[in-house]
Amino acid sequence: MDHEHTAHAHTGHTDAAQPGATWAFAVQATLHCLTGCAIGEVLGMVIGTALGWGNLPTTVLAIVLAFVFGYSLTLRGALKGGLDFRAAVRVALAADTLSIAVMELIDNGVIVLWPDAMDAELADLLFWASLAISLAIAFVVTVPVNKWMIGRGKGHAVVHQHHAH
């Protein structure tokens, strides 16, 4: 890897050997993931529902956008951290793929299993309540996944390594 790192202000992390192998850092990483997933998920559901699309194309759009926004947030941070674009893409893919996949699986699984949630319209409380609760459940399930990955030097530990220079 021949990417260059630039000096930058570094706050919010410790410099211990495995600084992220804590529940607090796992929660922080999962909140980061949740932000991207929620933006993409809500945008996809709103677009698909507003256009009168069926459940499958709306769900596919929401999942695709969740990955796009999830990766984009990490990509932005990695680029700000001094990585070139290719290295930043590799970091984003390594940091977020499993986390976003788990979050999307749980989130969409809850909505599919929730009676009438798949047929709710934008004006329905059920649409927003099921979406919010499904994302909250996905967050709770994804935190231990991120903690496990960070403890192994994977996931957001990879992002942290590039912020620690």
Side-chain angles (χ1 to χ4, degrees):
M1 289 193 220
D2 56 289
H3 54 272
E4 296 179 25
H5 297 278
T6 58
H8 65 281
H10 180 69
T11 59
H13 300 292
T14 62
D15 289 323
Q18 283 297 337
T22 65
W23 284 106
F25 191 65
V27 166
Q28 180 185 9
T30 308
L31 282 172
H32 180 267
C33 177
L34 178 67
T35 302
C37 286
I39 292 168
E41 188 80 24
V42 170
L43 189 58
M45 294 293 212
V46 167
I47 291 170
T49 302
L51 295 177
W53 289 3
N55 290 336
L56 183 59
T58 299
T59 302
V60 169
L61 177 63
I63 292 169
V64 168
L65 291 177
F67 274 92
V68 167
F69 280 93
Y71 287 141
S72 295
L73 292 177
T74 299
L75 185 63
R76 193 180 105 220
L79 290 169
K80 281 185 175 181
L83 294 181
D84 65 43
F85 185 75
R86 287 183 71 160
V89 167
R90 285 194 302 266
V91 166
L93 291 173
D96 291 335
T97 300
L98 182 61
S99 182
I100 296 171
V102 169
M103 190 161 287
E104 286 303 297
L105 178 69
I106 301 302
D107 168 49
N108 286 287
V110 168
I111 289 176
V112 166
L113 295 174
W114 191 311
D116 301 320
M118 292 294 289
D119 298 319
E121 298 292 326
L122 292 176
D124 297 338
L125 176 61
L126 179 59
F127 177 92
W128 297 104
S130 63
L131 189 56
I133 291 168
S134 68
L135 285 167
I137 293 168
F139 172 81
V140 170
V141 172
T142 307
V143 169
V145 171
N146 280 329
K147 184 176 186 313
W148 174 77
M149 288 176 50
I150 292 164
R152 298 183 65 228
K154 309 278 186 209
H156 274 258
V158 175
V159 175
H160 179 84
Q161 291 166 5
H162 295 286
H163 283 267
H165 292 271

